[in-house]
C-alpha cells in the first residue's frame, strides 16, 4: 500500500514528465536541446535492443561493481584499522577531511602507467572516489557504538572475532550501510565520468559518442537507462535503509 | 564474619589513573577493604566522582587495581570478568539490532548452549522482568525502564552468583525507580544472587540494601558501613517506615560533608 508522500512523489514525477512531453511536442523546446520523454524511452528501448549498447552497459556495470566491491572491502578494513589506532587516525584526519578537494581524474595517467590501457584505471578512479566515504563512515559508525554496548560485550568475554561480527558490525551497521551507499554513488560517478573523457567503451563513452554525433535519441535514451539503473539501485538501498532504521528506532 | 560466607573480598584495593600529558596521576580510589557476604544486597553510595563506577569496574574485572587484591569465591579477579559475575550498566546497553528474546538469549548463544535450553532459561526470565509479551519487539519499541529490565534479564539468564549493577535506574523517574526497585528485590530473592549496587540515590540504597557502603570524596574510601536490618521480604512500602528515614538520615549525615568537599574540588 503506497503512502500519501509516495503517491505525491509519483504524481510529481508524472506531472514533470507530462510537462516536458507537452513542451517538446508543442515545440516550446528545441529538439536539438532536449527530446520528449517518450522519445527518450524509445531511444532507451532501441539501445537495449542493440548488442553493442548492451555491451557498453555491461562493461560499465562490471567496472562499477568492481569499484564498489574494492571500495567497501578496503574502506571497511582501513576504517576499522584507524578505529583501532587512534593516534594514526588523528594524524590522518585532516587528509580524510580534505580528500574530496583533490580531483581524482588527475591520477588517471598514473593509473594507466600502473594498470595499463584497460578497464582497471577506470575502476581505480571509481575506487578512489568511493573509498574515502566508506572509510569515514566506518570510522564514524565504530566510534558511535555506545559505551554500554562495548562494555557489555567485554563482560560477555567474546572472542575478538565474535566481538567484531556480533557486536561492532551490527552496532555500526547503519553507518556502514551509509558508507556502502556512498560507495555505490561515487563509483558510478567516477566510472561514468571517467568513461566520458578517458575511455573507448562503456556507457559514459557511448553517451559521449552519441553527443558528438548529434544522435540525441541515443544519447537521451542511454541517459535515461543510466538514470533508471542508478535510481533503481539507490531506491532499493533506500528501502533497505528505511527498514533497518525503522526496526532500530533511528539507530 | 564466617569466611565461608564471604563471596567477594577486597583488600587494600587502590586505583590510580596514570598521568596523561601534562596532568598529574589521579588517585581515584582506595585503599579499600570490603567483605561481601554471599546472598546479601550491598549498595555503594558516595559523592560524584568518588570512584564508585571505578570500584565496580575493578570488581567486575574490567580494570585492574593499581594496588591491593580482589578475590571472588576465593579466586583472584584480575583483568577479566570471572565466571559467575554479571554486570548491568547505567547506559542503555540493549542491542538495537536484536529482538527482546534474542537480546536475552545473546550470551547463552555465544556460549554455545542448545536452543531448547536457552528457551528454558530465557522465557521465565523475561516473564520475571515483565517482558514476556514483548519477546518479539525490538528495544526501540520499549520504554527506558523496559530496556533496562531487558539488560537485567540478559544478565540474569547467565545465572550470575554476583550481580553488579551500576546505577541501572539512573535515567528513570522516581516512581519508576521505586517500582523497578521492587522488581529487583523480587529477582534478588528469586535468584539468591549477591547484589552489588552502585547508586547516587540514598533512597534507593536505603530501600534495597542489607548493607550500604558510604564512600568519601576522591580518593574514595569507605567511611561508614550501614546495616539496614531490613527483613529479606521487603518492598518499597518501607519508605513510610520511620526506620527508613533514620537510614537515609544517617547516610546523608555521612555524605553531606563529603559531597560539599567533592563539589568544592570540582
Amino acid at each position: 500500500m503506497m503512502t500519501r508522500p509516495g503517491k505525491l512523489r509519483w504524481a510529481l514525477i508524472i506531472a514533470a514528465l507530462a510537462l516536458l512531453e507537452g513542451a517538446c511536442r508543442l515545440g516550446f523546446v528545441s529538439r536539438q536541446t532536449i527530446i520528449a520523454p517518450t522519445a527518450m524511452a524509445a531511444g532507451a528501448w532501441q539501445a537495449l535492443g542493440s548488442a553493442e549498447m548492451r555491451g557498453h552497459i555491461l562493461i560499465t556495470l562490471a567496472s562499477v561493481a568492481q569499484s564498489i566491491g574494492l571500495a567497501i572491502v578496503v574502506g571497511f578494513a582501513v576504517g576499522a584499522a584507524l578505529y583501532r589506532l587512534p593516534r594514526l587516525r588523528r594524524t590522518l584526519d585532516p587528509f580524510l577531511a580534505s580528500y574530496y578537494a583533490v580531483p581524482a581524474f588527475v591520477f588517471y595517467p598514473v593509473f594507466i602507467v600502473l594498470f595499463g590501457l584497460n578497464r582497471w584505471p577506470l575502476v581505480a578512479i571509481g575506487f578512489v572516489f568511493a573509498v574515502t566515504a566508506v572509510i569515514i563512515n566506518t570510522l564514524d559508525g565504530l566510534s558511535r557504538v555506545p559505551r554500554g554496548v562495548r562494555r557489555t560485550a567485554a563482560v560477555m568475554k567474546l572472542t575478538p572475532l565474535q566481538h567484531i561480527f556480533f557486536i561492532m558490525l551490527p552496532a555500526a551497521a547503519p553507518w556502514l550501510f551509509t558508507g556502502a551507499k556512498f560507495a555505490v554513488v561515487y563509483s558510478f560517478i567516477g566510472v561514468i565520468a571517467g568513461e566520458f573523457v578517458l575511455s573507448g567503451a562503456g556507457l559514459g563513452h557511448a553517451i559521449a559518442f552519441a553527443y558528438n554525433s548529434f544522435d540525441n535519441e541515443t544519447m537521451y535514451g542511454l541517459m535515461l537507462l543510466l538514470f533508471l539503473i542508478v535510481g533503481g539501485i539507490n531506491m532499493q538501498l533506500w528501502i533497505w535503509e528505511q527498514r533497518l532504521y525503522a526496526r532500530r528506532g533511528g539507530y | 564474619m564466617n569466611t565461608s560466607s564471604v563471596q567477594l573480598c577486597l583488600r587494600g584495593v587502590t586505583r590510580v589513573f596514570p598521568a596523561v600529558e601534562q596532568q598529574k596521576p589521579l588517585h581515584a580510589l582506595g585503599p579499600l577493604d570490603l567483605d561481601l557476604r554471599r546472598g546479601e544486597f550491598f549498595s555503594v553510595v558516595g559523592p560524584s566522582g568518588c570512584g564508585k563506577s571505578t570500584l565496580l569496574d575493578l570488581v567486575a574485572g574490567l580494570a585492574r587495581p593499581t594496588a591491593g587484591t580482589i578475590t571472588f569465591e576465593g579466586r583472584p579477579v584480575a583483568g577479566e570478568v570471572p565466571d559467575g559475575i554479571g554486570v548491568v550498566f547505567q547506559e542503555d546497553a540493549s542491542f538495537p539490532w536484536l529482538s527482546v528474546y534474542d537480546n536475552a538469549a545473546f550470551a547463552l548463544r555465544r556460549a554455545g548452549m542448545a536452543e531448547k535450553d536457552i528457551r528454558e532459561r530465557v522465557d521465565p526470565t523475561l516473564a520475571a522482568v515483565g517482558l514476556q509479551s514483548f519477546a518479539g519487539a525490538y528495544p526501540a519499541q520499549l520504554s527506558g525502564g523496559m530496556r533496562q529490565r531487558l539488560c537485567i534479564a540478559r544478565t540474569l539468564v547467565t545465572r550470575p552468583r554476583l550481580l553488579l549493577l551500576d546505577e541501572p535506574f539512573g535515567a528513570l523517574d522516581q516512581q519508576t525507580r521505586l517500582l523497578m526497585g521492587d522488581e529487583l528485590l523480587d529477582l534478588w530473592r528469586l535468584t539468591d544472587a549477591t547484589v552489588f549496587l552502585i547508586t547516587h540515590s540514598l533512597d534507593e540504597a536505603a530501600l534495597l540494601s542489607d548493607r550500604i557502603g558510604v564512600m568519601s570524596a576522591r580518593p574514595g574510601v569507605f567511611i561508614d558501613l550501614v546495616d539496614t536490618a531490613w527483613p529479606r521480604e521487603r518492598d518499597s512500602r518501607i519508605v513510610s517506615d520511620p526506620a527508613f528515614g533514620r537510614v537515609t538520615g544517617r547516610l546523608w549525615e555521612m555524605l553531606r560533608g563529603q559531597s560539599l568537599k567533592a563539589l568544592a574540588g570540582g
Side-chain angles (χ1 to χ4, degrees), chain B residues 15-231:
Chain B
R15 175 71 167 152
V16 179
F17 290 104
V20 179
E21 293 174 356
Q22 304 300 317
Q23 293 176 330
K24 288 190 291 186
L26 182 75
H27 185 180
L29 193 74
L32 274 177
D33 293 332
L34 177 69
D35 286 327
L36 203 63
R37 301 169 198 138
R38 198 177 296 276
E40 81 171 318
F41 200 125
F42 185 88
S43 293
V44 178
V45 292
S48 291
C50 73
K52 297 187 293 292
S53 294
T54 303
L55 173 61
L56 182 130
D57 281 357
L58 294 174
V59 171
L62 293 170
R64 288 172 186 272
T66 312
T69 58
I70 302 171
T71 52
F72 171 65
E73 296 178 344
R75 294 199 191 90
V77 177
E80 193 186 65
V81 184
D83 288 335
I85 289 186
V87 191
V88 179
F89 298 106
Q90 180 181 9
E91 311 98 320
D92 173 18
S94 58
F95 300 151
W97 61 94
L98 296 177
S99 69
V100 165
Y101 182 89
D102 290 336
N103 257 281
F106 184 87
L108 304 181
R109 285 195 177 129
R110 298 289 78 78
M113 189 180 271
E115 277 302 317
K116 183 177 153 286
D117 299 333
I118 290 173
R119 184 160 289 281
E120 278 173 12
R121 280 203 197 184
V122 170
D123 282 346
T125 310
L126 287 180
V129 297
L131 288 176
Q132 198 170 30
S133 55
F134 293 90
Y138 283 84
Q141 297 166 288
L142 307 179
S143 68
M146 290 160 94
R147 281 204 288 270
Q148 207 51 293
R149 266 148 53 192
L150 170 59
C151 292
I152 292 172
R154 190 175 56 196
T155 303
L156 287 180
V157 296
T158 63
R159 298 198 177 150
R161 298 185 294 283
L162 172 60
L163 183 59
L164 307 178
L165 304 169
D166 188 3
E167 299 198 47
F169 312 136
L172 307 180
D173 62 79
Q174 181 66 16
Q175 291 95 325
T176 311
R177 285 174 84 129
L178 283 172
L179 296 174
M180 293 287 293
D182 282 344
E183 284 189 20
L184 185 57
L185 285 171
D186 285 339
L187 291 170
W188 168 62
R189 283 185 289 264
L190 190 76
T191 59
D192 281 331
T194 310
V195 177
F196 184 90
L197 172 73
I198 302 287
T199 179
H200 266 115
S201 165
L202 305 189
D203 287 352
E204 195 169 82
L207 160 68
L208 298 172
S209 318
D210 295 317
R211 271 197 310 159
I212 303 160
V214 183
M215 284 178 78
S216 67
R218 194 174 59 224
V221 292
F222 285 124
I223 51 172
D224 197 8
L225 289 173
V226 179
D227 259 301
T228 60
W230 300 130

Side-chain angles (χ1 to χ4, degrees), chain A residues 67 71 121-131 183 186-191:
Chain A
S67 165
L122 285 169
V123 173
I125 283 186
F127 167 79
V128 294
F129 254 97
V131 72
Y186 283 125
S187 291
F188 264 108
I189 292 173
V191 170

